Amino acid sequence: MPALIFSIMDELTQAEAAVLEHLAQHIRRGYCPSREELSRAAGLGPRGYHINKVLDSLVAKGYIEVERNRARAIRLLRTPDGRPFRLETRWIPLVGHIVAGLPAQVAVQTDNPFAGEAIELTEGLLGGYDNLYALRVKGQSMIDALVNDGDTVILTSTIDIHNGDMVAATVVGDDGQESRTLKHYYRENGHVRLQPANPMMDAIYCHPSQVTIEGKVVLVIRQIG
Amino acid sequence: MPALIFSIMDELTQAEAAVLEHLAQHIRRGYCPSREELSRAAGLGPRGYHINKVLDSLVAKGYIEVERNRARAIRLLRTPDGRPFRLETRWIPLVGHIVAGLPAQVAVQTDNPFAGEAIELTEGLLGGYDNLYALRVKGQSMIDALVNDGDTVILTSTIDIHNGDMVAATVVGDDGQESRTLKHYYRENGHVRLQPANPMMDAIYCHPSQVTIEGKVVLVIRQIG
DNA sequence: TTGACAACCGAACAATTGTTCGTTATAATG
DNA sequence: CATTATAACGAACAATTGTTCGGTTGTCAA
């Protein structure tokens, strides 16, 4: 889901925009600037403490929050362009691979759950899910799910699966052979329908006992180049 | 690309871990805590300024940077689990849609280039590219590129395209009909080969004059559920 | 011009916050 | 047990930083 639209924005004076820009840059590099630094940034002289007026205005317009009588205690809520300024990212552990047919080779869990590789993602991509982990796809066995070799799949191990969810499932075929696929899951009168994402492919029908759900697919990422 | 491996980590004392955790939480919520707050968080009494020892140790271990004689001037470099703590995300403007066959309907540019929808992504996903924009895929015309209805494609308008790059290209057919596709681009002896990502599909060959490159595809994102 | 008003400057003040230093407590070591 | 070292505490101090207030400048309207 893309972000909200912030086209309705209060106008910013030149000083206000300068202060916001300086704030954003400084905070990204570590911590909040003092009012004197901000004052300089706004072109208000070395100790022009008129900066409070500017800050008050920015508070009124909803861009920042200021804690009174505390040093460098300004919270940046939105950047000059009006977008929310958040510091919310999450590291998703990459726990293994999905290989053609084979059961997923889930990496050994060390004592530190974050010891291995991981991917940093913005909260906005993760849809509020918890218990997330990532698998790297090896080979082209998932092409019917529109997932290519090298793609990264983010899954949640949350247990409740609803009809229509895309899941990583292990299917035991009639010949006893196991295979793992990414499919849309439908539970319907006594059997399980696994529907490929590619509408040109046919669904698989099987008995519930043949299917083990590994997790629900939340996100697929394909980095190119 | 997943992040580096941080399995080699200095051990943290309980106090150090507590301080780091408190720092991370506080900074995520806006700004850096003072040493007194940190002291409490580490269980070191209301004004136990032994906190400096803990901070020095964390500096030595590379977790934080401290600016001397400045209030709340602590830079968090890594979270307690050893992962880099960065605040680097970018908002990619969603400028329009790719619709089956039709030329991309690029949204009207307002005076504010960030007025419309946008997607916040971590730098790690963007591979250092600049001039990025996002297109939302409508319909299933890109399935041969393993891109589904609803997927988001991130492109860079950087002009230099190399052989093998995945590009958004507009192709003028022999009948004069325009169509837009996502394909791998190869320039080879006098003609252009556009190779679908799906290895089961065939390439398209055409004359350079028939092809207009819109941009290079950097990332494909599919949000599910 | 004159008055009202807002923007801007600078200095004094007050509060917070970081630093230093001496002391006490606890643990380790012989 | 004595000794040493380290951790912890708290108060005094110093530096930074936020706040207030009086003043200057400039603009606009009457």
Side-chain angles (χ1 to χ4, degrees), chain B residues 126-201:
Chain B
L126 301 176
Y129 288 101
D130 274 320
N131 301 317
L132 294 165
Y133 61 99
L135 294 174
R136 177 67 37 87
V137 175
K138 290 263 185 195
Q140 293 163 339
S141 62
M142 304 287 170
I143 283 213
D144 63 332
L146 298 176
V147 175
N148 204 355
D149 180 41
D151 286 4
T152 306
V153 180
I154 312 292
L155 302 117
T156 171
S157 53
T158 306
I159 320 152
D160 53 320
I161 303 293
H162 299 93
N163 266 9
D165 285 353
M166 190 173 198
V167 298
T170 306
V171 181
V172 183
D174 296 330
D175 53 358
Q177 201 89 355
E178 279 195 344
S179 68
R180 154 146 319 106
T181 53
L182 299 177
K183 295 264 190 322
H184 289 287
Y185 175 92
Y186 294 93
R187 188 81 161 80
E188 39 195 34
N189 30 289
H191 63 260
V192 170
R193 171 161 62 95
L194 296 175
Q195 183 80 45
N198 187 336
M200 306 197 301
M201 313 282 295

Side-chain angles (χ1 to χ4, degrees), chain A residues 78-121:
Chain A
R78 307 189 319 196
T79 47
D81 53 44
R83 296 201 185 292
F85 180 85
R86 276 178 276 149
L87 312 177
E88 293 161 17
T89 63
R90 240 192 288 178
W91 285 92
I92 311 299
L94 181 63
V95 299
H97 299 280
I98 306 187
V99 189
L102 299 174
Q105 186 179 356
V106 172
V108 192
Q109 293 287 349
T110 66
D111 51 348
N112 181 353
F114 292 98
E117 290 182 291
I119 306 160
E120 189 186 21
L121 297 175

Side-chain angles (χ1 to χ4, degrees), chain A residues 35 49 68-70 72:
Chain A
R35 276 160 156 80
Y49 280 173
R68 285 185 60 86
N69 278 324
R70 317 193 86 178
R72 301 170 184 270

Side-chain angles (χ1 to χ4, degrees), chain B residues 10-27:
Chain B
D10 299 293
E11 292 295 331
L12 292 176
T13 68
Q14 198 176 351
E16 288 169 358
V19 165
L20 273 187
E21 188 57 51
H22 191 74
L23 259 176
Q25 283 192 19
H26 212 286
I27 289 179

Side-chain angles (χ1 to χ4, degrees), chain A residues 98-100 137-145 147-150, chain B residues 146 197-200:
Chain A
I98 306 187
V99 189
V137 175
K138 289 263 184 194
Q140 292 162 341
S141 62
M142 305 285 170
I143 284 214
D144 63 332
V147 175
N148 205 354
D149 180 41
Chain B
L146 298 176
N198 187 336
M200 306 197 301

Side-chain angles (χ1 to χ4, degrees), chain A residues 64-81:
Chain A
I64 60 174
E65 280 177 6
V66 176
E67 217 97 1
R68 285 185 60 86
N69 278 324
R70 317 193 86 178
R72 301 170 184 270
I74 299 174
R75 235 185 284 271
L76 182 59
L77 303 179
R78 307 189 319 196
T79 47
D81 53 44

Side-chain angles (χ1 to χ4, degrees), chain A residues 118-119 136 223 225, chain B residues 1-3 124-125:
Chain A
I119 306 160
R136 177 68 37 85
Q223 281 183 287
Chain B
M1 263 121 286
L125 290 180

